[in-house]
Amino acid sequence: MRILVTGGAGFIGSNVADRFIEVGHEVAVFDDLSSGFPEFVNPKAKFYKGDLADAAAIDHAIADFRPEIVDHHAAQIDVRKSVTDPVLDARINILGSIGLMQACTRHGVRKIVYASTGGALYGEGRQLPATEDHPVNPEAPYGASKHTVEHYLYIWKLLHGLDFTVLRYPNVFGPRQNPHGEAGVNAIFIGLMLEGKRPRIFGDGHAVRDYLFVTDVVAANVMALDGASGEMLNLGTGIGTSVNDIVRELKAIIGFKEDALHEPPRAGEVQRIYLDASRAKQVLGWTPQVGFTEGLRRTVEWTRHNPLPTKH
């Protein structure tokens, strides 16, 4: 089938686009390259450079490529930036996504697979691991903007018949993650340790998250192309891993001897959240395949041999 991947030059989106092509789909990528890299765009994919907040640009891409499905990863993803500039966050994540939905309706797109967030949507975990029924109380505008789009997707299906599947991601990590442009603690720590520099921990290091290797996220996107109509599904391992755990694992993998530095905690960051993905198993048959330590090993190995492209 024909699939347009928004954000397909970024970390997760490019991995997803590659897999779609591997399994035989015809793929186009829409990306403004603000955080993604042209080197990550699969040479077999058609590329449209454009800003999600530019309704005319996304309309042109969809009108020209005529996808059956849009896999929607393009977003403002920096939690801290959403705190300092919530208007920008809403303009891209909410208004940009509404413009995307309008274009999908105009040009006959059948379905949107939407990359949402479980890590930032629920706020502090009250019942852990958090199911999809957990109260939604985001503690930063990023979580609020991503959740708002879920409501619009529901409305669009109701009013216009545009199908959707929402995948609520935990903290995703793996090859191609940008330690400079994304809130990827694993990528940041790996980059620093490989350079012989001490990583910085904000707070006491006891903050707990759910870390999922990117190939498992990719698998869920492939499964969602034909399944989980109208569903909002957590992805995750159901295991909480602390920042201190990450440092300990990476020190052993890399052979790094020094301890981390500690700085004051930052506003808008949840301290404890990990996700119950039982419904994704039930609806999609999805379960994570790569353990955390193995995922770190693969990421370290990739990072050693594949320096990120430089921005021009």
Side-chain angles (χ1 to χ4, degrees):
M1 63 182 73
R2 294 165 70 85
I3 308 169
L4 177 73
V5 181
T6 72
F11 159 45
I12 302 174
S14 67
N15 278 285
V16 169
D18 283 354
R19 184 60 181 157
F20 285 163
I21 290 169
E22 285 174 11
V23 297
H25 298 299
E26 188 176 351
V27 173
V29 166
F30 179 89
D31 202 296
D32 67 359
L33 301 179
S34 60
S35 59
F37 297 92
E39 292 87 348
F40 290 170
V41 177
N42 192 297
K44 294 182 180 178
K46 187 167 185 178
F47 179 63
Y48 297 91
K49 185 178 181 182
D51 187 336
L52 182 64
D54 182 347
I58 191 66
D59 186 83
H60 166 71
I62 292 175
D64 184 67
F65 187 65
R66 295 284 176 172
E68 298 171 59
I69 292 180
V70 171
D71 189 276
H72 182 28
H73 279 81
Q76 192 298 113
I77 59 169
D78 191 317
V79 172
R80 292 177 295 282
K81 186 179 288 186
S82 81
V83 171
T84 58
D85 195 349
V87 173
L88 174 69
D89 183 81
R91 183 182 301 124
I92 296 171
N93 291 354
I94 300 175
L95 296 181
S97 295
I98 293 172
L100 171 66
M101 289 178 225
Q102 289 178 313
C104 288
T105 302
R106 277 193 294 269
H107 302 297
V109 173
R110 177 171 64 82
K111 180 177 185 178
I112 293 179
V113 178
Y114 175 57
S116 187
T117 173
L121 183 146
Y122 299 116
E124 286 297 333
R126 299 183 184 183
Q127 304 96 30
L128 294 173
T131 70
E132 291 84 356
D133 294 327
H134 189 284
V136 174
N137 291 302
E139 299 191 0
Y142 167 72
S145 68
K146 295 293 283 187
H147 184 236
T148 298
V149 175
E150 295 185 2
H151 290 288
Y152 275 96
L153 287 166
Y154 177 86
I155 292 166
W156 237 253
K157 188 175 192 293
L158 191 68
L159 298 180
H160 306 292
L162 178 64
D163 197 8
F164 70 86
T165 300
V166 169
L167 301 175
R168 291 176 175 170
Y169 293 174
N171 286 51
V172 184
F173 72 102
R176 297 183 184 167
Q177 189 165 30
N178 184 355
H180 308 295
E182 303 174 9
V185 65
N186 294 312
I188 293 169
F189 287 2
I190 289 169
L192 289 170
M193 287 187 187
L194 288 177
E195 293 175 0
K197 298 176 182 176
R198 296 167 69 187
R200 294 182 301 160
I201 294 175
F202 294 91
D204 59 13
H206 296 307
V208 168
R209 300 284 194 283
D210 195 336
Y211 294 95
L212 185 63
F213 193 62
V214 68
T215 56
D216 285 322
V217 175
V218 168
N221 277 266
V222 174
M223 293 173 179
L225 295 176
D226 294 310
S229 171
E231 292 278 356
M232 300 179 184
L233 303 173
N234 286 344
L235 301 182
T237 67
I239 300 169
T241 301
S242 75
V243 180
N244 290 331
D245 291 335
I246 296 170
V247 171
R248 185 164 50 251
E249 291 275 8
L250 285 177
K251 285 176 69 173
I253 292 168
I254 295 171
F256 190 80
K257 302 300 183 185
E258 297 188 65
D259 292 328
L261 301 168
H262 284 266
E263 296 191 12
R266 296 184 288 197
E269 296 199 348
V270 174
Q271 294 302 301
R272 291 183 61 81
I273 190 70
Y274 46 99
L275 307 180
D276 184 329
S278 298
R279 183 146 183 82
K281 181 178 181 180
Q282 175 188 345
V283 173
L284 287 177
W286 178 89
T287 54
Q289 301 298 307
V290 181
F292 180 65
T293 302
E294 175 59 23
L296 283 183
R297 290 185 189 281
R298 294 188 193 182
T299 307
V300 168
E301 188 64 19
W302 185 89
T303 306
R304 286 188 196 274
H305 302 290
N306 298 274
L308 282 176
T310 54
K311 288 292 184 182
H312 300 294

